[in-house]
Amino acid sequence: MFKGSIVALITPMDEKGQICRSSLERLINYHIINKTKAIVSVGTTGESATLSQEEHVHVVMLTLELADKRIPIIAGTGANATTEAISLTKRFEKSGIAGCLTVTPYYNRPTQEGLYQHFKAIAENTELPQILYNVPSRTGCDLLPETVAKLAQFKNIIGIKEATGDLSRINKIKELVKSDFLLISGDDGTALDFMQLGGQGVISVTANIAAKEMMQICSYALKGDFIKARSINKRLVLLHEALFIEPNPIPIKWLAKKVGLIKNDTLRLPMTPILDSTRLQLEKAIQYANLKIL
């Protein structure tokens, strides 16, 4: 369940900024139909930064309810305070989620020892599988391979979402961990190269509107058929790039509305509506990708 194309799901909202149940159900069904391997609920793309903890828990539990055991759900449970990350993780004990995606603490820029102690404390307070999440461009700190190796010794720390875009990280981590430790890309643009170097999949933003294509790319890559994987990925290159012209999830929410997957592209401040110039680039990218949404 933790290999292949995993979607970093957007959190759909109505025009007043409240969670839109009908759009969320449509998104979940779309991913089940297109054989996405798992859903990450309320990660970065799911706007965890602008949801209260109660809303955060509500969205994860609603996603579980609507999925109805048809697809595994991974809960985003990261926080910049260790006690808060532990508290949020424990809210999902025995809930039915498949595991947790836990981002490195952001803003306070901990040392490598601080990062180790943070994830160690979480792992010791839950039996839920933990996937580390390293995204220095957003958090201001970098979880180095040597620290990952120390954390991989905990039985419930099962892998890492590596979103630096630095492909040299794969071999550095692989050399230090056991073969069953999961290496998952967090960067759509380099995900295929990541898998060719030994990664097992991607937690994808692009999959929000290209679920079938991302599933196919990962499926072919994991079988070693990189010719077919690259032929599909070639159509998505412009889309991978355009989705990050503005901060995620501004572009992906607008596109999801445009193709009819959600009713509104509502965002909460400080996220702001998409720029006209970005729309033009997204329209070109979606046309080039030639997607079959439904």
Side-chain angles (χ1 to χ4, degrees), residues 4-10 31 36 38-40 45 101 161 184-189 191 201-211 213-215 217-218 236 239-240 243-244 248 252:
S5 177
I6 301 169
V7 64
L9 198 69
I10 56 178
H31 286 286
T36 298
I39 288 171
V40 171
T45 309
L101 179 68
K161 175 185 177 182
I184 303 170
S185 173
D187 179 59
D188 281 302
V202 58
I203 295 177
S204 171
V205 176
T206 303
N208 276 282
I209 61 161
E213 290 78 7
M214 290 304 297
M215 176 276 291
I217 289 167
C218 291
L236 302 184
L239 188 57
H240 295 328
L243 286 173
F244 293 91
N248 180 39
I252 190 61

Side-chain angles (χ1 to χ4, degrees), residues 226-245:
F226 290 97
I227 294 175
K228 288 183 180 177
R230 290 196 182 280
S231 70
I232 300 169
N233 191 63
K234 185 178 180 180
R235 291 168 29 215
L236 302 184
V237 169
L238 294 180
L239 188 57
H240 295 328
E241 294 175 355
L243 286 173
F244 293 91
I245 294 170

